[in-house]
Amino acid sequence: MTNSVHDMGGMHGFGEISREENEPVFHAEWERKIFGMMMTSLGPFQVNLDNVRSRMESVPPTTYLKLGYYDKWLITLEELAIEKDVVSRDALAALMAGQDVQLTRDVDPFPADGMLAFLATGATAARQIETAAVFKVGDQVRARNLNPGSHTRLPRYVRGHLGIVIADAGGQIYPDTNATFSGEGPERLYTVQFQATELWGNEANPKDTVCVDLWEPYLEAARTP
Amino acid sequence: MPHDSHDHTDPPSDLALRVKALETALTRKGYVDPDAIDAVVDTFETKVGPRNGAAVIAKAWTDPAFKRRLLDDASAACAELGFSGQQGEQLKVVENTDAVHNMVVCTLCSCYPWPVLGLPPSWYKSHAYRSRAVIEPRAVLQEFGVDIPNNKEVRVWDSTAELRYLVLPELPAGTDGFTEDALAELVSRDSMIGTGVAQA
């Protein structure tokens, strides 16, 4: 989902930033478990990171704002398991109530050694693309005013605004199509630098800038005056 | 300071029960291996964290050739020190100078360079940081005790894609003769996110 509350850049009202001294990596055993489950199950579930981000953003906005960070991971994984017919909502409720539920194994999990190897190597989103770059470093571009109802990584606060291309990161998996399993559809990714005054008006410090990574379809050439 | 209940208060017990139910189901169905869960958790609790990034920064401060490689291809340079992997496949290091102070955020979720910083602190994932960092970075920095002069640029990097940013802080004054290990001690996690500075 695109125009929802996960797209927080520039919002007001969330108050001071609360920090915790000597914060532990996880605050509870259930956080450890949900993190580990998310990390290890995406392969067996045959979903990608963009699809998972899309699912998390699709939590209704009123709910999203009330949920803690790992609560969203839990809801996302529960709904994924239910949608993929791995377990029913009733079976989860029964398990929560301490009842035994007959569940038989139907896939092989990602093993610990494989998982550690994957963590250590990762999987790059960079892809070779044949098409020539439409923009080059130094070009002035405008972030398009796009409002798709599906996943995008074009934040609202840059839409319609002018910036300068400062880097070309080459072809990268395009989240807008990858999230819906319509293909990786790699597109060229640019880093675009916006003046704070362009984004936020003259109250902003004229020295300040915001750099945002934007795929080619998010951009258009700035019209010359 | 208001307590941010969104991120890490003690969970109602039903959260723990829900996770346990889901874990039981996914384990029995073969979607997760409890040993793999433990291995991943252990990695981020004991092996990967901001000390990795601090070692990278200290080396960049003492070894100009490494610094050049780091600014040119941070993933390759960090891999020289053994730091690589998921959420660090395409690392970018941005250098603080006397003209620019860099600061990193992910307004859309909570993207973060795991191999060099570990998992993000709660404040980085908070609605307050995600919303405010791009519109009022100087006010955010002041809350963190960092005052940037008005004539110096604050450059915010919003991690909207799969590039992951690490700030190379300025070398603090008064550190002549410090060893690489001693310098690494001066590099805080926040200084590599850009909400802090390295201090001697």
Side-chain angles (χ1 to χ4, degrees):
Chain A
M1 210 193 292
T2 171
N3 291 350
S4 193
V5 287
H6 71 282
D7 184 0
M8 291 187 160
M11 285 178 76
H12 286 137
F14 291 118
E16 286 185 25
I17 296 158
S18 176
R19 286 178 285 155
E20 183 182 343
E21 290 278 337
N22 301 313
E23 184 182 346
V25 176
F26 299 102
H27 292 79
E29 181 61 16
W30 73 270
E31 289 191 353
R32 289 190 182 88
K33 293 291 186 191
I34 198 65
F35 177 78
M37 282 196 275
M38 182 67 87
M39 293 286 291
T40 58
S41 67
L42 299 188
F45 274 123
Q46 297 186 306
V47 291
N48 60 56
L49 189 56
D50 292 310
N51 179 259
V52 169
R53 287 196 185 118
S54 175
R55 288 169 184 273
M56 288 197 194
E57 295 159 8
S58 302
V59 173
T62 45
T63 307
Y64 185 101
L65 293 175
K66 287 182 195 151
L67 292 177
Y69 181 74
Y70 285 117
D71 304 35
K72 288 194 280 284
W73 289 42
L74 171 59
I75 285 193
T76 299
L77 210 48
E78 282 174 340
E79 295 303 319
L80 184 58
I82 291 163
E83 182 193 307
K84 297 260 181 181
D85 278 334
V86 173
V87 62
S88 68
R89 211 175 289 278
D90 288 347
L92 282 178
L95 286 168
M96 264 186 78
Q99 297 160 20
D100 198 24
V101 175
Q102 190 70 27
L103 294 165
T104 52
R105 184 166 175 139
D106 47 25
V107 295
D108 286 325
F110 217 61
D113 55 353
M115 195 58 222
L116 289 179
F118 180 64
L119 265 186
T121 54
T124 185
R127 295 288 183 273
Q128 288 290 330
I129 51 170
E130 302 303 323
T131 49
V134 171
F135 307 110
K136 62 182 188 302
V137 170
D139 281 357
Q140 190 179 46
V141 291
R142 187 183 297 277
R144 291 178 187 269
N145 180 20
L146 303 173
N147 290 275
S150 53
H151 183 67
T152 187
R153 297 287 285 183
L154 172 64
R156 265 176 288 189
Y157 75 89
V158 301
R159 293 179 198 168
H161 288 293
L162 292 168
I164 302 287
V165 173
I166 60 165
D168 174 344
Q172 303 272 337
I173 295 174
Y174 189 46
D176 301 46
T177 53
N178 198 42
T180 56
F181 304 108
S182 314
E184 291 188 345
E187 297 281 359
R188 192 171 294 273
L189 182 77
Y190 302 92
T191 305
V192 179
Q193 185 170 30
F194 298 89
Q195 291 294 321
T197 48
E198 163 73 13
L199 297 175
W200 314 113
N202 291 334
E203 298 279 295
N205 185 309
K207 283 275 182 190
D208 294 350
T209 63
V210 181
C211 300
V212 187
D213 294 324
L214 300 170
W215 282 262
E216 204 165 77
Y218 297 170
L219 299 171
E220 60 192 352
R223 281 183 293 270
T224 44
Chain B
M1 188 174 285
H3 186 68
D4 187 348
S5 61
H6 293 299
D7 293 305
H8 53 74
T9 47
D10 291 336
S13 59
D14 81 306
L15 269 176
L17 287 173
R18 276 168 62 193
V19 171
K20 184 74 194 152
L22 186 62
E23 184 192 7
T24 301
L26 294 185
T27 303
R28 290 193 193 168
K29 297 293 281 185
Y31 282 74
V32 299
D33 173 347
D35 290 342
I37 293 175
D38 290 344
V40 169
V41 168
D42 178 65
T43 297
F44 287 101
E45 284 197 318
T46 67
K47 297 185 177 68
V48 178
R51 291 300 90 207
N52 293 5
V56 171
I57 300 304
K59 188 167 177 62
W61 281 341
T62 54
D63 179 344
F66 178 79
K67 180 179 160 183
R68 279 194 295 276
R69 295 199 295 281
L70 186 67
L71 292 172
D72 181 52
D73 182 347
S75 291
C78 290
E80 292 176 28
L81 305 188
F83 312 137
S84 63
Q86 214 170 348
Q87 294 297 310
E89 297 92 342
Q90 300 186 75
L91 287 174
K92 301 283 170 192
V93 167
V94 290
E95 183 183 13
N96 283 351
T97 65
D98 53 11
V100 179
H101 179 86
N102 295 283
M103 175 176 158
V104 182
V105 64
C106 173
T107 61
L108 296 174
C109 46
S110 53
C111 296
Y112 197 67
W114 291 0
V116 282
L117 293 184
L119 297 183
S122 292
W123 65 257
Y124 183 86
K125 304 181 283 190
S126 70
H127 301 158
Y129 185 71
R130 287 168 53 191
S131 60
R132 294 175 57 203
V134 287
I135 189 172
E136 48 174 8
R138 289 170 187 269
V140 169
L141 287 168
Q142 273 179 359
E143 275 181 42
F144 280 77
V146 178
D147 205 6
I148 303 295
N150 275 337
N151 59 358
K152 178 171 180 169
E153 176 186 346
V154 173
R155 188 178 296 171
V156 180
W157 299 81
D158 187 357
S159 323
T160 44
E162 298 301 333
L163 312 184
R164 294 289 169 268
Y165 293 94
L166 183 76
V167 175
L168 172 55
E170 287 182 275
L171 175 65
T175 52
D176 285 358
F178 276 43
T179 64
E180 209 174 299
D181 285 348
L183 288 172
E185 292 297 317
L186 309 179
V187 183
S188 65
R189 176 195 63 205
D190 291 1
S191 74
M192 294 180 281
I193 301 173
T195 53
V197 293
Q199 283 172 318

